[in-house]
Amino acid sequence: MQDNWKIRSVYSLLLNRYGFLNWWPAETKDEVVIGTILTQNTSWSNVEKCIKNLKKKNICSLSAISSLDPKELAPIIRSSGFYNQKSKRLVDISHIITERYSTMEKMSEQPVDELELFLKNIKGVGRETMDSILSYALQKPVFVVDKYTMRIFSRTGITGDSTPIDAIKGLVYENLGNDGDMLRNLHAMLVYLGKDHCKTKPLCAECPVKSVCNYFITAGP
DNA sequence: CTCCCGTTGT
DNA sequence: ACAACGGGAG
């Protein structure tokens, strides 16, 4: 057990600023899965339009998408970028999930280890997408590590520059516990912090965690 | 390391 | 016009 005061400190500073966020904008579990694929290397505003298009056509569900031809789906999700890849991946994952579990409800009854093995073998589902599905669609107690997490943890000095994802997750579980709602809230707050302050060119002036951030204290502006 | 891409902000 | 932005596969 490696004790890391800074991570606890960052959590409470973030909670202070953002409060409890009930996050991942989606109406259904299917929609979360669809969103995790569409938002790969893409900002959320681009994804929203796709979701809107899918809803308008009444095909915003895994069962509907599973019977689509990627060729006809591609133009509908165009605004998310990489639409040819994502179109194939989306039809593929919809097929595989509905085939195996029928519904997301059924799927969420399975233990995490089994779900991990299952998800990890799907093309187009990498670490972050898998963890996002586990956490936000299936309500499992999993911490999602994304680009913002890495940047914020490394700048603050919570982790080193290239700490592996598993180590980051371990650090979070050991110091903050593994309550699902808390883990989802932490990830959500880190996303907000990343968008608001911890950008490539950081805006430290109003940053809620600057008091414990190595980047601000030493190298910072 | 390269390819896959549209949207938003400057 | 052009830079910033953001995951995964091969």
Side-chain angles (χ1 to χ4, degrees):
Chain A
M1 160 80 174
Q2 35 181 329
D3 188 65
N4 191 311
W5 63 272
K6 197 173 275 190
I7 196 171
R8 278 179 259 110
S9 184
V10 163
Y11 183 81
S12 68
L13 288 167
L14 287 174
L15 195 57
N16 231 24
R17 167 71 62 102
Y18 294 112
F20 206 91
L21 305 164
N22 209 329
W23 198 60
W24 197 288
E27 291 175 4
T28 65
K29 297 175 188 298
D30 284 27
E31 207 180 307
V32 176
V33 174
I34 294 165
T36 60
I37 301 292
L38 292 179
T39 200
Q40 289 172 1
N41 215 36
T42 304
S43 25
W44 187 253
S45 63
N46 297 4
V47 176
E48 279 183 315
K49 296 174 185 164
C50 305
I51 303 276
K52 233 169 247 170
N53 290 342
L54 291 169
K55 284 184 175 170
K56 208 172 295 173
K57 293 178 176 295
N58 265 313
I59 51 173
C60 198
S61 70
L62 298 182
S63 61
I65 291 177
S66 70
S67 61
L68 252 43
D69 180 345
K71 290 262 189 288
E72 49 174 328
L73 179 58
I76 302 170
I77 61 166
R78 183 180 183 279
S79 69
S80 70
F82 312 101
Y83 47 85
N84 287 316
Q85 276 193 68
K86 288 178 181 176
S87 180
K88 283 199 198 81
R89 290 176 182 180
L90 209 43
V91 170
D92 201 40
I93 192 176
S94 302
H95 217 94
I96 295 174
I97 288 180
T98 49
E99 194 91 328
R100 170 82 178 265
Y101 295 109
S102 174
T103 65
M104 291 300 292
E105 305 294 339
K106 281 282 176 203
M107 187 175 176
S108 65
E109 290 167 14
Q110 309 302 317
V112 194
D113 340 20
E114 191 195 308
L115 293 169
E116 274 179 356
L117 290 175
F118 170 75
L119 287 168
K120 168 154 82 165
N121 284 318
I122 301 176
K123 278 217 187 323
V125 178
R127 282 300 290 265
E128 191 187 334
T129 304
M130 175 174 85
D131 287 344
S132 298
I133 292 173
L134 288 171
S135 181
Y136 290 99
L138 301 169
Q139 295 295 116
K140 303 295 181 187
V142 172
F143 180 62
V144 179
V145 175
D146 61 4
K147 205 167 256 186
Y148 292 126
T149 311
M150 309 246 225
R151 186 193 293 156
I152 294 164
F153 279 22
S154 126
R155 279 189 182 154
T156 51
I158 289 172
T159 64
D161 218 33
S162 51
T163 306
I165 290 182
D166 287 318
I168 297 180
K169 291 169 74 173
L171 200 66
V172 169
Y173 299 143
E174 284 166 5
N175 289 278
L176 295 172
N178 52 5
D179 175 72
D181 288 325
M182 183 274 298
L183 294 171
R184 283 183 279 278
N185 189 40
L186 174 59
H187 174 243
M189 294 192 298
L190 289 171
V191 171
Y192 275 56
L193 186 72
K195 287 187 193 302
D196 295 346
H197 304 283
C198 211
K199 303 152 150 333
T200 308
K201 283 192 64 181
L203 305 169
C204 299
E206 309 279 305
C207 177
V209 306
K210 65 180 177 187
S211 60
V212 296
C213 180
N214 285 0
Y215 181 90
F216 178 73
I217 297 167
T218 65

